[in-house]
């Protein structure tokens, strides 16, 4: 007590001194070798600059600003360097470099790690081998009926919406929620055995079970997923806040932590319903879907995943298959319409002519065989993915080699976190030319070596998106079907995005009507 009384008058001075030393000592000792790299002043001492950008949902924009101000190699955290160079993809993400995922990913773990958030290389190799068969060409082909049945329900709803005005008029709608409903229903069908029913209800709602066998409640899954991505990305950069997040006065953290639990509860409820039915012998005919493949998967020792691990992997697919697909679909949709508005007659007439020639009259939903080889459709999708960059952030990796690693003339010691920001390299004029911000699908007719290397929509190396073949099929079916069946007019000047783990359009207002001439 005497000591406390003695120190009390000095606490106001001691606390800032302690905080200053906490950040300054590592700057001058452990991370002294990074001092030569330019970057925002606060980022030299802590992750607070980057964490606040993540809190605002604009991490991709903050990092892009930093590169445009400071150059190709920029320090964006106390031990984190961002490399805005397509050659950095090979250095940071390639097979055999020994890098580990950063501690950032621990904020995305709920109970059991999945293939996305495990940091252990051996564990990742085991998990990836167990689920790889779920994404083989044969398996992906068997998923198509589940996709098209949901797209058919979606088309029925769009028909209803577009019929609310006279045939020659456009009905205004916000397309973003409808892309989200469709993506959630498709991944629900693939990963859990049944759609969530969002398309049919026209509503963001699904069942949640916080613990196996616990009570069922309902939650807005799209909203939950958005909050989860935002708070996990922020807490991944500011790990000291994680134990206290739900107690912080900022509702962003309290609601975000609740969203993490609710999102896991969605997977628990859906997996439990499917597996419980199978154990009771009332599951009916075996489905060719992701959950079946996950349950069947075996590791090198012949061991299958337990229910918790199956749930963790199903949750991974739920997030990847709903969030990234809905965001990418909406963004590609917007950019096609934007390109047509910027240069009337240059995009949509060409796209619709290609689709009309490939899809038989009267067909409401395109089959994959009808659209997978359409060159202009593919160029439109690739250009939309370049401009929007759903996976926009630089995925952080830790240098593990004792001798460090060198990129060009820059040497990074063991323990440095490196990343390559996809959004920035997709928007570099030196790579893509002076029309880098324009929607130009025909730029893909004659790509340079640098452009081929820089295009990075699904990440790179052993941690690249395992489900990218499913994603491409889904994108081609949805975008092909919607532009074949409907005419649109764009009602907003700019696509504004908000970033959690992936970059999401806030809204996309359009006018819609049926193309009666093709039916």
């Amino acid at each position: 007590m005497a000591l406390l009384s003695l120190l009390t008058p000095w606490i106001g001075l001691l606390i800032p001194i302690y905080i200053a030393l906490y950040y300054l000592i590592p700057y001058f000792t452990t991370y002294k070798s990074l001092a030569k790299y330019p970057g925002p002043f606060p980022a030299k001492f802590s992750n607070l600059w980057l964490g606040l950008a993540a809190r605002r949902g604009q991490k991709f924009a903050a990092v892009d600003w930093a590169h445009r101000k400071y150059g190709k190699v920029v320090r964006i955290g106390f031990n984190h360097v961002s490399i805005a160079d397509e050659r950095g993809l090979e250095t940071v993400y390639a097979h055999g470099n020994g890098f580990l995922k950063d501690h950032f990913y621990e904020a995305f773990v709920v109970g059991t790690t999945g293939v996305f958030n495990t940091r252990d290389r051996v564990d990742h190799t085991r998990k990836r081998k167990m689920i790889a068969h779920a994404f083989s060409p044969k398996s992906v082909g068997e998923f198509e009926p589940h996709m098209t049945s949901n797209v058919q329900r979606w088309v029925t709803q769009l028909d209803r919406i577009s019929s609310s005005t006279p045939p020659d008029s456009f009905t205004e709608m916000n397309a973003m929620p409808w892309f989200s409903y469709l993506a959630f229903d498709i991944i629900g069908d693939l990963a859990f055995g049944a759609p969530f029913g969002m398309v049919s209800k026209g509503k963001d709602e699904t069942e949640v079970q916080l613990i196996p066998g616990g009570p069922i409640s309902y939650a807005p899954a799209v909203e939950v997923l958005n909050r989860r991505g935002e708070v996990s990305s922020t807490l991944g950069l500011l790990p000291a806040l994680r134990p206290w997040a739900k107690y912080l006065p900022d509702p962003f953290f309290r609601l975000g932590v609740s969203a993490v639990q609710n999102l896991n509860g969605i997977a628990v409820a859906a997996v439990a319903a499917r597996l419980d039915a199978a154990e009771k012998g009332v599951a009916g005919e075996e489905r060719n879907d992701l959950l079946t493949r996950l349950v069947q998967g075996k590791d090198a020792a012949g061991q299958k995943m337990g229910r918790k691990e199956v749930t963790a992997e199903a949750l991974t697919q739920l997030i990847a298959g709903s969030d990234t697909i809905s965001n990418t679909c909406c963004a590609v949709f917007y950019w096609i319409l934007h390109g047509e508005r910027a240069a009337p007659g240059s995009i949509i007439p060409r796209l619709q002519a290609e689709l009309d020639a490939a899809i038989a009259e009267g067909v409401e939903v395109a089959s994959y065989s009808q659209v997978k080889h359409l060159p202009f459709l593919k160029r439109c999708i690739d250009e939309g993915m370049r401009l929007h960059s759903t996976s926009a952030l630089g995925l952080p990796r830790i240098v593990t080699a004792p001798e460090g690693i060198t990129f060009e003339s820059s040497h990074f010691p063991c323990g440095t976190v490196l990343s390559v920001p996809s959004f920035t390299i997709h928007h570099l004029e030196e790579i893509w030319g002076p029309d880098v911000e324009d929607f130009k699908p025909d730029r893909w007719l004659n790509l340079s070596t640098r452009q081929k290397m820089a295009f990075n929509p699904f990440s790179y190396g052993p941690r690249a998106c395992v489900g990218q073949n499913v994603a491409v099929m889904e994108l081609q079916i949805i975008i092909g079907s919607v532009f074949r069946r409907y005419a649109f007019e764009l009602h907003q000047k700019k696509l504004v995005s908000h970033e959690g783990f992936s970059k999401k359009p806030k809204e996309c207002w359009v006018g819609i009507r049926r193309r009666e001439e093709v039916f």
Side-chain angles (χ1 to χ4, degrees), residues 141-154:
E142 291 174 344
F143 298 160
E144 184 177 354
H146 305 300
M147 289 185 188
T148 54
S149 64
N150 285 285
V151 178
Q152 180 64 64
R153 281 188 286 273
W154 188 63

Side-chain angles (χ1 to χ4, degrees), residues 442-515:
D442 286 344
R443 76 171 75 245
W444 297 86
L445 289 171
N446 188 28
L447 292 182
S448 68
T449 300
R450 288 195 72 185
Q451 289 169 340
K452 291 177 183 177
M453 189 181 299
F455 187 50
N456 186 45
F458 297 107
S459 192
Y460 185 86
R463 292 282 195 158
C465 175
V466 70
Q468 59 185 277
N469 291 333
V470 176
V472 168
M473 179 169 74
E474 201 168 339
L475 284 167
Q476 290 177 319
I477 289 173
I478 294 170
I479 297 298
S481 296
V482 78
F483 278 103
R484 173 79 195 313
R485 189 169 182 82
Y486 304 100
F488 299 97
E489 56 182 17
L490 189 55
H491 288 180
Q492 64 185 61
K493 292 182 179 180
K494 184 179 180 181
L495 189 69
V496 177
S497 297
H498 194 83
E499 184 184 38
F501 183 81
S502 62
K503 187 155 70 76
K504 183 183 188 69
K506 285 191 172 182
E507 57 187 9
C508 185
W509 287 96
V510 299
I512 181 175
R513 66 171 174 81
R514 284 278 300 274
R515 290 182 67 214

Side-chain angles (χ1 to χ4, degrees), residues 47-60 62 226-227 229-235 237-238 241 248-255 498-500:
N47 280 344
L48 189 60
W49 176 82
L50 198 57
L52 289 175
R55 165 64 183 85
R56 296 192 303 270
Q58 296 296 308
K59 178 174 175 285
F60 75 96
N226 293 340
R227 288 187 184 279
E230 293 164 5
V231 79
S232 295
S233 292
T234 303
L235 294 176
L237 293 165
L238 304 171
L241 293 183
L248 297 175
D250 185 349
F252 169 86
F253 292 102
R254 184 179 68 256
L255 295 174
H498 194 83
E499 184 184 38

Side-chain angles (χ1 to χ4, degrees), residues 298-424:
K298 296 179 181 179
D299 61 20
Q303 297 297 311
K304 293 185 176 182
M305 288 187 268
R307 181 174 289 214
K308 287 185 178 179
E309 192 172 15
V310 169
T311 302
E313 297 302 343
L315 177 60
T316 296
Q317 301 312 318
L318 168 63
I319 296 166
S322 59
D323 196 34
T324 57
I325 287 295
S326 61
N327 299 346
T328 304
C329 271
C330 185
V332 169
F333 174 74
Y334 167 85
W335 280 107
I336 289 173
L337 295 176
H338 176 85
E340 176 65 20
R341 181 172 61 187
S346 67
I347 305 295
I348 289 182
R350 292 175 63 188
L351 179 59
Q352 289 181 333
E354 184 179 74
L355 292 167
D356 291 347
I359 303 169
E361 185 176 345
V363 172
E364 296 183 341
V365 176
S367 68
Y368 187 45
S369 63
Q370 291 170 329
V371 296
K372 68 178 178 179
H373 296 306
L374 298 185
F376 192 66
L377 172 64
K378 184 179 186 305
R379 296 202 298 275
C380 284
I381 291 173
D382 286 348
E383 181 72 342
M385 288 196 294
R386 179 188 72 81
L387 282 163
H388 179 69
S389 305
T390 294
S391 180
L393 52 78
L395 302 172
R397 301 289 189 266
I398 300 176
V399 177
T400 56
E403 69 279 11
I405 196 163
T406 299
F407 173 76
E408 293 190 319
S409 60
S410 300
H411 181 76
F412 304 104
C414 181
T416 305
V417 175
L418 298 178
S419 62
V420 180
S422 293
F423 178 86
T424 297

Side-chain angles (χ1 to χ4, degrees), residues 6-51:
L6 183 65
L7 291 177
T8 297
W10 297 95
I11 284 180
L13 179 63
L14 292 174
I15 289 177
I17 291 175
Y18 171 79
I19 293 173
L21 292 176
Y22 179 84
Y23 290 111
L24 285 173
I25 290 175
Y27 176 79
F28 287 111
T29 56
T30 308
Y31 305 111
K32 181 180 179 181
S33 61
L34 301 182
K36 61 184 176 182
Y37 298 111
F41 182 76
K44 297 175 182 293
F45 305 98
S46 78
N47 280 344
L48 189 60
W49 176 82
L50 198 57

Side-chain angles (χ1 to χ4, degrees), residues 60-74:
F60 75 96
V63 172
D64 187 61
W65 169 86
H67 279 292
R68 294 183 188 279
K69 181 176 176 64
Y70 297 106
K72 181 188 299 185
V73 180
V74 176

Side-chain angles (χ1 to χ4, degrees), residues 259-291:
V260 170
Q261 297 301 322
N262 280 334
L263 189 63
N264 187 62
I266 292 170
V268 168
V271 170
R274 177 79 172 272
L275 298 187
D276 288 348
E279 289 171 2
K280 294 175 182 176
V282 296
E285 185 178 348
E286 185 176 271
R287 290 166 49 94
N288 292 316
D289 61 18
L290 274 170
L291 189 56

